[in-house]
Coordinates of all heavy atoms in Angstrom, one line a residue:
M8 N -8.0 50.2 -15.5 CA -8.6 49.3 -16.5 C -9.7 48.6 -15.8 O -9.6 48.0 -14.8 CB -7.5 48.4 -17.1 CG -8.1 47.5 -18.1 SD -6.7 46.7 -18.9 CE -7.6 45.6 -19.9
A9 N -10.8 48.5 -16.5 CA -12.0 47.8 -16.0 C -11.8 46.3 -16.0 O -11.2 45.8 -16.9 CB -13.2 48.2 -16.8
D10 N -12.3 45.6 -15.0 CA -12.3 44.2 -14.9 C -13.3 43.6 -15.9 O -14.4 44.1 -16.1 CB -12.7 43.9 -13.5 CG -12.7 42.4 -13.2 OD1 -13.6 41.7 -13.6 OD2 -11.8 41.9 -12.6
L11 N -12.9 42.5 -16.6 CA -13.7 41.9 -17.6 C -15.0 41.4 -17.0 O -16.1 41.5 -17.6 CB -13.0 40.8 -18.3 CG -11.9 41.2 -19.3 CD1 -11.2 40.0 -19.8 CD2 -12.4 42.1 -20.3
A12 N -14.9 40.8 -15.8 CA -16.2 40.4 -15.1 C -17.1 41.5 -14.8 O -18.3 41.4 -15.0 CB -15.9 39.6 -13.9
A13 N -16.6 42.6 -14.3 CA -17.4 43.8 -14.1 C -18.0 44.3 -15.3 O -19.2 44.7 -15.3 CB -16.5 44.9 -13.4
Q14 N -17.3 44.3 -16.4 CA -17.9 44.7 -17.7 C -19.0 43.8 -18.1 O -20.1 44.2 -18.6 CB -16.8 44.8 -18.8 CG -15.7 45.8 -18.6 CD -14.6 45.8 -19.6 OE1 -14.5 44.8 -20.4 NE2 -13.8 46.8 -19.7
S15 N -18.9 42.5 -18.0 CA -19.9 41.5 -18.3 C -21.1 41.8 -17.5 O -22.2 41.8 -18.0 CB -19.3 40.1 -18.1 OG -20.4 39.2 -18.3
G16 N -20.9 41.9 -16.2 CA -22.0 42.1 -15.3 C -22.7 43.5 -15.6 O -24.0 43.5 -15.6
G17 N -21.9 44.5 -15.9 CA -22.5 45.8 -16.3 C -23.4 45.7 -17.5 O -24.5 46.3 -17.6
R18 N -23.0 44.9 -18.5 CA -23.8 44.7 -19.7 C -25.1 44.0 -19.4 O -26.2 44.4 -19.9 CB -23.0 44.0 -20.8 CG -22.0 44.8 -21.5 CD -21.5 44.1 -22.8 NE -20.8 42.8 -22.5 CZ -19.5 42.8 -22.1 NH1 -18.8 43.8 -22.0 NH2 -19.0 41.6 -21.8
C19 N -25.0 43.0 -18.6 CA -26.2 42.2 -18.2 C -27.1 43.1 -17.4 O -28.4 43.1 -17.7 CB -25.8 41.0 -17.3 SG -25.1 39.7 -18.2
L20 N -26.6 43.9 -16.5 CA -27.5 44.8 -15.8 C -28.1 45.9 -16.7 O -29.3 46.1 -16.6 CB -26.7 45.5 -14.6 CG -27.4 46.5 -13.8 CD1 -28.7 45.9 -13.1 CD2 -26.5 47.1 -12.7
A21 N -27.3 46.4 -17.5 CA -27.8 47.5 -18.5 C -29.0 46.9 -19.3 O -30.0 47.6 -19.5 CB -26.7 48.0 -19.4
E22 N -28.8 45.7 -19.8 CA -29.9 45.1 -20.7 C -31.1 44.8 -19.9 O -32.2 45.1 -20.3 CB -29.3 43.8 -21.3 CG -28.2 44.0 -22.3 CD -27.5 42.7 -22.7 OE1 -27.9 41.6 -22.2 OE2 -26.6 42.8 -23.5
A23 N -30.9 44.3 -18.6 CA -32.1 44.0 -17.8 C -32.8 45.3 -17.4 O -34.1 45.4 -17.4 CB -31.7 43.3 -16.5
M24 N -32.1 46.4 -17.1 CA -32.7 47.7 -16.8 C -33.5 48.2 -18.0 O -34.6 48.7 -17.8 CB -31.6 48.7 -16.3 CG -31.1 48.3 -14.9 SD -29.8 49.5 -14.4 CE -30.6 51.1 -14.4
A25 N -32.9 48.1 -19.1 CA -33.5 48.6 -20.4 C -34.8 47.9 -20.6 O -35.8 48.5 -21.0 CB -32.6 48.5 -21.5
R26 N -34.8 46.5 -20.4 CA -36.1 45.8 -20.7 C -37.2 46.2 -19.7 O -38.3 46.2 -20.1 CB -35.8 44.3 -20.4 CG -35.1 43.5 -21.6 CD -35.1 42.0 -21.4 NE -34.5 41.6 -20.2 CZ -33.2 41.3 -20.1 NH1 -32.4 41.4 -21.1 NH2 -32.7 40.9 -18.9
Q27 N -36.8 46.6 -18.6 CA -37.9 47.0 -17.6 C -38.1 48.5 -17.6 O -38.9 49.0 -16.8 CB -37.5 46.5 -16.2 CG -37.5 45.0 -16.1 CD -37.4 44.5 -14.8 OE1 -37.7 45.1 -13.7 NE2 -36.7 43.3 -14.6
G28 N -37.3 49.3 -18.3 CA -37.5 50.7 -18.4 C -37.0 51.5 -17.2 O -37.6 52.5 -16.9
H29 N -36.0 50.9 -16.5 CA -35.6 51.5 -15.2 C -34.3 52.4 -15.5 O -33.5 52.2 -16.4 CB -35.2 50.4 -14.2 CG -36.3 49.6 -13.7 ND1 -36.2 48.4 -13.1 CD2 -37.7 49.8 -13.8 CE1 -37.3 47.9 -12.8 NE2 -38.3 48.8 -13.2
T30 N -34.3 53.5 -14.8 CA -33.2 54.4 -14.9 C -32.1 54.2 -13.8 O -32.4 53.5 -12.8 CB -33.7 55.9 -14.7 OG1 -34.2 56.1 -13.3 CG2 -34.8 56.2 -15.7
Q31 N -31.0 54.8 -14.1 CA -29.9 54.7 -13.0 C -30.4 55.3 -11.8 O -30.1 54.7 -10.7 CB -28.6 55.4 -13.5 CG -27.9 54.7 -14.7 CD -26.7 55.4 -15.1 OE1 -26.0 56.0 -14.3 NE2 -26.3 55.3 -16.3
R32 N -31.0 56.4 -11.8 CA -31.4 57.1 -10.6 C -32.4 56.3 -9.8 O -32.3 56.2 -8.6 CB -32.0 58.5 -11.0 CG -32.6 59.2 -9.8 CD -33.1 60.6 -10.1 NE -31.9 61.4 -10.2 CZ -31.8 62.5 -10.9 NH1 -32.8 63.0 -11.5 NH2 -30.7 63.2 -10.9
A33 N -33.4 55.7 -10.5 CA -34.4 54.9 -9.8 C -33.7 53.7 -9.1 O -34.1 53.4 -7.9 CB -35.5 54.4 -10.8
L34 N -32.8 53.0 -9.8 CA -32.1 51.9 -9.2 C -31.3 52.3 -8.0 O -31.3 51.7 -7.0 CB -31.3 51.2 -10.2 CG -30.5 50.0 -9.6 CD1 -31.4 48.9 -9.0 CD2 -29.6 49.3 -10.7
A35 N -30.6 53.4 -8.2 CA -29.7 54.0 -7.1 C -30.6 54.2 -5.8 O -30.2 53.9 -4.7 CB -29.0 55.2 -7.5
E36 N -31.7 54.9 -6.0 CA -32.6 55.2 -4.9 C -33.1 53.9 -4.3 O -33.2 53.8 -3.1 CB -33.8 56.1 -5.4 CG -33.3 57.5 -5.7 CD -34.4 58.4 -6.3 OE1 -35.6 57.9 -6.4 OE2 -34.1 59.5 -6.7
A37 N -33.5 52.9 -5.1 CA -34.1 51.7 -4.6 C -33.0 50.9 -3.7 O -33.4 50.3 -2.7 CB -34.6 50.8 -5.7
L38 N -31.8 51.0 -4.1 CA -30.7 50.3 -3.4 C -30.0 51.1 -2.4 O -29.1 50.6 -1.6 CB -29.6 49.8 -4.4 CG -30.2 48.7 -5.4 CD1 -29.0 48.3 -6.4 CD2 -30.7 47.5 -4.7
G39 N -30.3 52.4 -2.3 CA -29.7 53.3 -1.4 C -28.2 53.6 -1.6 O -27.4 53.7 -0.7
V40 N -27.9 53.7 -2.9 CA -26.5 54.0 -3.4 C -26.5 55.3 -4.2 O -27.6 55.7 -4.6 CB -25.9 52.9 -4.2 CG1 -25.7 51.6 -3.3 CG2 -26.6 52.5 -5.4
A41 N -25.4 55.8 -4.5 CA -25.3 57.0 -5.4 C -25.5 56.6 -6.8 O -25.2 55.5 -7.2 CB -24.0 57.7 -5.2
Q42 N -26.1 57.5 -7.6 CA -26.3 57.2 -9.0 C -24.9 57.0 -9.7 O -24.9 56.1 -10.6 CB -27.0 58.4 -9.7 CG -27.3 58.1 -11.2 CD -28.0 59.3 -11.8 OE1 -28.6 60.2 -11.2 NE2 -28.1 59.3 -13.1
Q43 N -23.9 57.6 -9.2 CA -22.6 57.4 -9.8 C -22.1 56.0 -9.6 O -21.4 55.4 -10.4 CB -21.6 58.3 -9.1 CG -20.1 58.2 -9.6 CD -19.1 59.1 -9.0 OE1 -19.5 59.8 -8.0 NE2 -17.9 59.2 -9.5
T44 N -22.5 55.4 -8.4 CA -22.2 54.0 -8.2 C -22.8 53.1 -9.2 O -22.2 52.2 -9.8 CB -22.7 53.6 -6.8 OG1 -21.9 54.4 -5.8 CG2 -22.3 52.1 -6.5
V45 N -24.1 53.3 -9.5 CA -24.7 52.5 -10.5 C -24.1 52.7 -11.9 O -23.9 51.7 -12.6 CB -26.3 52.9 -10.6 CG1 -26.9 52.1 -11.7 CG2 -27.0 52.5 -9.3
S46 N -23.7 53.9 -12.1 CA -23.1 54.2 -13.5 C -21.7 53.4 -13.5 O -21.4 52.9 -14.6 CB -22.8 55.7 -13.6 OG -22.1 56.0 -14.7
R47 N -21.0 53.4 -12.4 CA -19.7 52.6 -12.4 C -20.0 51.1 -12.7 O -19.2 50.5 -13.3 CB -19.0 52.9 -11.2 CG -18.5 54.3 -11.1 CD -17.8 54.6 -9.8 NE -16.4 54.1 -10.0 CZ -15.7 53.6 -8.9 NH1 -16.2 53.7 -7.7 NH2 -14.5 53.1 -9.2
W48 N -21.0 50.6 -12.0 CA -21.4 49.2 -12.3 C -21.7 49.0 -13.8 O -21.2 48.0 -14.4 CB -22.6 48.8 -11.5 CG -22.4 48.7 -10.0 CD1 -21.2 48.8 -9.3 CD2 -23.5 48.8 -9.0 NE1 -21.5 48.8 -7.9 CE2 -22.9 48.8 -7.8 CE3 -24.9 48.8 -9.1 CZ2 -23.6 48.7 -6.5 CZ3 -25.6 48.8 -7.9 CH2 -24.9 48.8 -6.7
L49 N -22.5 49.8 -14.3 CA -23.0 49.7 -15.7 C -21.8 49.8 -16.7 O -21.9 49.1 -17.7 CB -24.0 50.7 -16.1 CG -25.4 50.5 -15.3 CD1 -26.3 51.7 -15.5 CD2 -26.1 49.2 -15.9
H50 N -20.9 50.6 -16.4 CA -19.7 50.8 -17.3 C -18.6 49.9 -17.0 O -17.5 49.9 -17.7 CB -19.3 52.2 -17.3 CG -20.2 53.2 -17.9 ND1 -21.2 53.9 -17.1 CD2 -20.5 53.5 -19.2 CE1 -21.9 54.6 -17.9 NE2 -21.5 54.4 -19.2
G51 N -18.7 49.0 -16.0 CA -17.7 47.9 -15.8 C -16.5 48.5 -15.1 O -15.5 47.8 -15.0
A52 N -16.6 49.7 -14.5 CA -15.4 50.2 -13.8 C -15.2 49.5 -12.5 O -14.1 49.3 -12.0 CB -15.7 51.7 -13.5
V53 N -16.3 49.0 -11.9 CA -16.2 48.2 -10.7 C -17.4 47.3 -10.6 O -18.5 47.6 -11.1 CB -16.1 49.2 -9.4 CG1 -17.4 50.0 -9.3 CG2 -15.8 48.4 -8.1
A54 N -17.3 46.1 -9.9 CA -18.4 45.3 -9.7 C -19.0 45.6 -8.3 O -18.3 46.0 -7.4 CB -17.9 43.8 -9.7
P55 N -20.3 45.4 -8.2 CA -20.9 45.7 -6.9 C -20.5 44.6 -5.9 O -20.0 43.6 -6.3 CB -22.4 45.5 -7.2 CG -22.5 44.9 -8.6 CD -21.3 45.0 -9.2
G56 N -20.6 45.0 -4.6 CA -20.3 44.0 -3.6 C -21.3 42.9 -3.6 O -22.3 43.0 -4.3
L57 N -21.0 41.9 -2.9 CA -21.9 40.7 -2.9 C -23.3 41.0 -2.5 O -24.2 40.5 -3.1 CB -21.3 39.6 -2.0 CG -22.1 38.3 -1.9 CD1 -22.2 37.6 -3.3 CD2 -21.4 37.3 -1.0
L58 N -23.5 41.8 -1.5 CA -24.9 42.1 -1.1 C -25.6 42.8 -2.2 O -26.8 42.4 -2.5 CB -24.9 43.1 0.2 CG -26.3 43.6 0.6 CD1 -27.1 42.4 1.0 CD2 -26.1 44.6 1.7
H59 N -25.0 43.8 -2.9 CA -25.7 44.4 -4.0 C -25.8 43.5 -5.2 O -26.8 43.5 -6.0 CB -25.0 45.7 -4.5 CG -25.2 46.8 -3.5 ND1 -24.2 47.4 -2.7 CD2 -26.4 47.4 -3.2 CE1 -24.8 48.3 -1.9 NE2 -26.1 48.3 -2.2
Q60 N -24.9 42.5 -5.4 CA -25.1 41.5 -6.5 C -26.3 40.7 -6.2 O -27.1 40.4 -7.1 CB -23.8 40.6 -6.6 CG -22.6 41.3 -7.1 CD -21.4 40.3 -7.2 OE1 -21.6 39.2 -7.4 NE2 -20.2 40.9 -7.0
L61 N -26.5 40.3 -4.9 CA -27.6 39.5 -4.6 C -28.9 40.3 -4.8 O -29.9 39.7 -5.3 CB -27.5 39.1 -3.1 CG -26.4 38.0 -2.8 CD1 -26.2 37.9 -1.3 CD2 -26.8 36.7 -3.4
R62 N -28.9 41.6 -4.5 CA -30.1 42.4 -4.7 C -30.4 42.6 -6.2 O -31.5 42.5 -6.6 CB -29.9 43.7 -4.0 CG -30.0 43.6 -2.5 CD -29.8 45.0 -1.9 NE -30.0 44.8 -0.4 CZ -29.7 45.8 0.4 NH1 -29.2 47.0 0.0 NH2 -29.9 45.6 1.7
L63 N -29.3 42.7 -6.9 CA -29.5 42.8 -8.4 C -30.0 41.5 -9.0 O -30.8 41.5 -10.0 CB -28.2 43.3 -9.1 CG -27.8 44.7 -8.7 CD1 -26.4 45.0 -9.2 CD2 -28.7 45.7 -9.3
R64 N -29.6 40.4 -8.4 CA -30.1 39.1 -8.9 C -31.5 39.0 -8.6 O -32.3 38.5 -9.4 CB -29.3 38.0 -8.1 CG -29.7 36.6 -8.4 CD -28.8 35.7 -7.7 NE -29.3 34.3 -7.9 CZ -30.1 33.6 -7.1 NH1 -30.5 34.1 -6.0 NH2 -30.4 32.4 -7.4
R65 N -32.0 39.5 -7.5 CA -33.4 39.5 -7.1 C -34.2 40.4 -8.0 O -35.4 40.1 -8.4 CB -33.7 39.8 -5.7 CG -33.1 38.8 -4.7 CD -33.3 39.2 -3.3 NE -34.7 39.1 -2.8 CZ -35.1 39.5 -1.7 NH1 -34.2 40.2 -0.8 NH2 -36.3 39.4 -1.3
L66 N -33.7 41.6 -8.3 CA -34.4 42.6 -9.1 C -34.5 42.3 -10.5 O -35.5 42.5 -11.2 CB -33.8 44.0 -8.9 CG -34.0 44.7 -7.6 CD1 -33.1 45.9 -7.5 CD2 -35.5 45.1 -7.5
Y67 N -33.3 41.8 -11.1 CA -33.2 41.7 -12.5 C -32.8 40.3 -13.0 O -32.6 40.1 -14.2 CB -32.2 42.7 -13.1 CG -32.6 44.1 -12.8 CD1 -31.9 44.9 -11.9 CD2 -33.7 44.7 -13.5 CE1 -32.3 46.2 -11.6 CE2 -34.0 46.1 -13.3 CZ -33.3 46.8 -12.3 OH -33.7 48.1 -12.1
D68 N -32.6 39.4 -12.1 CA -32.2 38.1 -12.5 C -30.7 38.1 -13.2 O -30.5 37.3 -14.1 CB -33.2 37.3 -13.4 CG -33.0 35.8 -13.3 OD1 -32.5 35.3 -12.3 OD2 -33.3 35.2 -14.3
V69 N -29.9 39.0 -12.7 CA -28.5 39.1 -13.2 C -27.8 38.0 -12.4 O -27.7 38.1 -11.2 CB -27.9 40.5 -13.0 CG1 -26.4 40.5 -13.5 CG2 -28.7 41.5 -13.8
P70 N -27.2 37.0 -13.1 CA -26.6 36.0 -12.4 C -25.3 36.5 -11.7 O -24.6 37.4 -12.2 CB -26.2 34.9 -13.4 CG -26.3 35.7 -14.7 CD -27.2 36.8 -14.5
L71 N -25.0 36.0 -10.6 CA -23.8 36.3 -9.9 C -22.5 36.1 -10.7 O -21.5 36.8 -10.7 CB -23.6 35.6 -8.5 CG -24.8 35.9 -7.5 CD1 -24.6 35.1 -6.2 CD2 -24.9 37.3 -7.2
S72 N -22.6 35.0 -11.5 CA -21.5 34.7 -12.3 C -21.2 35.8 -13.4 O -20.1 35.9 -13.9 CB -21.7 33.3 -13.1 OG -22.9 33.4 -13.9
A73 N -22.2 36.6 -13.7 CA -21.9 37.7 -14.6 C -20.9 38.7 -14.0 O -20.2 39.3 -14.8 CB -23.2 38.4 -14.9
W74 N -20.8 38.7 -12.7 CA -19.9 39.6 -12.1 C -18.6 38.9 -11.7 O -17.7 39.4 -11.1 CB -20.5 40.2 -10.7 CG -21.8 40.9 -11.0 CD1 -23.0 40.5 -10.7 CD2 -22.0 42.2 -11.5 NE1 -23.9 41.4 -11.0 CE2 -23.4 42.5 -11.5 CE3 -21.1 43.2 -12.0 CZ2 -23.9 43.7 -12.0 CZ3 -21.6 44.3 -12.5 CH2 -23.0 44.6 -12.5
G75 N -18.5 37.6 -12.1 CA -17.3 36.8 -11.7 C -17.4 36.1 -10.4 O -16.4 35.5 -9.9
T76 N -18.5 36.2 -9.7 CA -18.7 35.5 -8.4 C -19.2 34.1 -8.7 O -20.1 33.8 -9.4 CB -19.9 36.3 -7.6 OG1 -19.4 37.6 -7.5 CG2 -20.1 35.6 -6.3
Q77 N -18.4 33.2 -8.1 CA -18.6 31.8 -8.3 C -19.2 31.2 -7.0 O -18.6 31.1 -6.0 CB -17.3 31.0 -8.6 CG -16.7 31.5 -9.9 CD -17.6 31.4 -11.1 OE1 -18.2 30.3 -11.3 NE2 -17.7 32.4 -11.9
I78 N -20.6 31.0 -7.0 CA -21.3 30.5 -5.9 C -22.4 29.7 -6.4 O -23.0 30.0 -7.4 CB -21.7 31.6 -5.0 CG1 -22.3 31.1 -3.7 CG2 -22.6 32.6 -5.7 CD1 -22.6 32.3 -2.7
S79 N -22.8 28.6 -5.7 CA -23.9 27.8 -6.2 C -25.2 28.6 -6.0 O -25.4 29.5 -5.2 CB -24.1 26.5 -5.4 OG -24.5 26.7 -4.1
A80 N -26.2 28.2 -6.8 CA -27.5 28.9 -6.8 C -28.2 28.7 -5.4 O -28.8 29.6 -4.9 CB -28.4 28.3 -7.9
D81 N -28.0 27.5 -4.8 CA -28.5 27.3 -3.5 C -27.9 28.2 -2.4 O -28.6 28.7 -1.6 CB -28.4 25.8 -3.1 CG -29.3 24.9 -3.8 OD1 -30.3 25.3 -4.3 OD2 -29.0 23.7 -3.9
D82 N -26.5 28.3 -2.5 CA -25.8 29.1 -1.6 C -26.2 30.6 -1.8 O -26.4 31.3 -0.8 CB -24.3 29.0 -1.7 CG -23.8 27.6 -1.1 OD1 -24.6 27.0 -0.3 OD2 -22.6 27.3 -1.5
A83 N -26.4 31.0 -3.0 CA -26.8 32.4 -3.3 C -28.2 32.7 -2.7 O -28.4 33.7 -2.0 CB -26.9 32.6 -4.8
R84 N -29.1 31.7 -2.8 CA -30.4 31.9 -2.2 C -30.4 32.0 -0.7 O -31.0 32.8 0.0 CB -31.4 30.8 -2.6 CG -32.0 31.0 -4.0 CD -33.1 30.0 -4.3 NE -32.6 28.6 -4.3 CZ -32.1 28.1 -5.4 NH1 -32.0 28.8 -6.5 NH2 -31.7 26.9 -5.4
D85 N -29.5 31.2 -0.1 CA -29.3 31.2 1.4 C -28.7 32.5 1.8 O -29.2 33.1 2.8 CB -28.4 30.0 1.8 CG -29.1 28.6 1.7 OD1 -30.4 28.6 1.5 OD2 -28.4 27.6 1.7
L86 N -27.7 33.0 1.2 CA -27.1 34.2 1.5 C -28.1 35.4 1.3 O -28.1 36.3 2.1 CB -25.9 34.5 0.6 CG -24.6 33.7 1.0 CD1 -23.5 33.8 0.0 CD2 -24.1 34.1 2.4
E87 N -28.8 35.3 0.2 CA -29.8 36.3 -0.1 C -30.8 36.5 1.0 O -31.1 37.6 1.5 CB -30.5 36.0 -1.4 CG -31.3 37.0 -2.0 CD -31.8 36.5 -3.4 OE1 -32.8 35.7 -3.4 OE2 -31.3 37.0 -4.4
A88 N -31.3 35.3 1.5 CA -32.3 35.3 2.6 C -31.7 35.9 3.9 O -32.3 36.6 4.7 CB -32.8 34.0 2.8
L89 N -30.4 35.5 4.2 CA -29.8 36.0 5.4 C -29.4 37.5 5.3 O -29.5 38.2 6.3 CB -28.5 35.2 5.6 CG -28.6 33.7 6.1 CD1 -27.3 33.0 6.0 CD2 -29.3 33.7 7.4
A90 N -28.9 37.9 4.2 CA -28.5 39.3 4.0 C -29.6 40.3 3.8 O -29.4 41.4 4.3 CB -27.5 39.4 2.8
D91 N -30.7 39.8 3.3 CA -31.7 40.8 3.0 C -33.1 40.0 3.0 O -33.6 39.7 1.9 CB -31.5 41.5 1.6 CG -32.3 42.7 1.4 OD1 -33.0 43.1 2.3 OD2 -32.4 43.1 0.2
P92 N -33.7 39.8 4.2 CA -34.9 39.0 4.2 C -36.1 39.7 3.7 O -37.1 39.0 3.5 CB -35.0 38.7 5.7 CG -34.3 39.8 6.4 CD -33.2 40.2 5.5
T93 N -36.0 41.0 3.4 CA -37.2 41.7 3.0 C -37.4 41.5 1.5 O -36.4 41.1 0.8 CB -37.1 43.2 3.3 OG1 -35.9 43.7 2.6 CG2 -37.0 43.4 4.8
P94 N -38.6 41.7 1.0 CA -38.8 41.6 -0.5 C -37.9 42.7 -1.2 O -37.5 43.6 -0.6 CB -40.2 41.9 -0.7 CG -40.9 41.8 0.6 CD -39.8 42.0 1.7
P95 N -37.6 42.4 -2.5 CA -36.7 43.3 -3.2 C -37.4 44.7 -3.3 O -38.7 44.8 -3.3 CB -36.6 42.7 -4.6 CG -37.6 41.7 -4.7 CD -38.0 41.3 -3.3
P96 N -36.6 45.7 -3.3 CA -37.2 47.1 -3.4 C -37.9 47.3 -4.8 O -37.6 46.6 -5.8 CB -36.0 48.0 -3.3 CG -34.9 47.2 -3.7 CD -35.2 45.8 -3.3
E97 N -38.8 48.2 -4.8 CA -39.5 48.5 -6.0 C -38.6 49.6 -6.7 O -38.1 50.5 -6.1 CB -40.9 49.2 -5.7 CG -41.9 48.2 -5.2 CD -42.3 47.1 -6.2 OE1 -42.5 47.5 -7.4 OE2 -42.4 46.0 -5.8
V98 N -38.5 49.4 -8.0 CA -37.7 50.3 -8.8 C -38.7 51.0 -9.7 O -39.5 50.4 -10.5 CB -36.6 49.6 -9.7 CG1 -35.9 50.6 -10.5 CG2 -35.7 48.9 -8.8
A99 N -38.8 52.3 -9.6 CA -39.8 53.1 -10.4 C -39.4 53.2 -11.9 O -38.3 53.1 -12.3 CB -39.9 54.5 -9.9

């Protein structure tokens, strides 16, 4: 059974991707994950790990709380800078 937080995050991600016209394949390539992984996130089968949540936050402004992650915005920014100091990847 899918986790409710994962379902909420998946809906937020799907809406953000649709607004920007991004595909599962393009996002998967930008993040270096399998397309099936992105599909599982979108369908709420599983939530992304914290590093990918931070990257999705940077790409699409999907709040960490959408995935059930409870962390302050300041801490999220600090973790984001430590975990991935490069600019967010381009999604075609």
Side-chain angles (χ1 to χ4, degrees):
M8 183 171 169
D10 180 283
L11 290 177
Q14 290 175 349
S15 173
R18 280 191 302 275
C19 288
L20 177 56
E22 290 168 5
M24 288 175 65
R26 279 193 301 274
Q27 295 188 29
H29 294 164
T30 64
Q31 290 182 28
R32 175 173 285 158
L34 178 58
E36 289 175 5
L38 295 179
V40 300
Q42 183 177 348
Q43 181 181 11
T44 299
V45 173
S46 177
R47 294 180 74 209
W48 295 342
L49 291 170
H50 290 96
V53 64
L57 183 57
L58 177 60
H59 284 115
Q60 287 180 34
L61 290 166
R62 289 178 174 169
L63 293 168
R64 179 177 178 263
R65 289 175 77 188
L66 286 169
Y67 298 111
D68 201 29
V69 175
L71 299 179
S72 61
W74 304 104
T76 301
Q77 300 301 315
I78 186 171
S79 74
D81 288 337
D82 287 344
R84 278 189 295 277
D85 291 344
L86 284 172
E87 193 174 76
L89 290 171
D91 194 10
T93 59
E97 290 294 319
V98 179

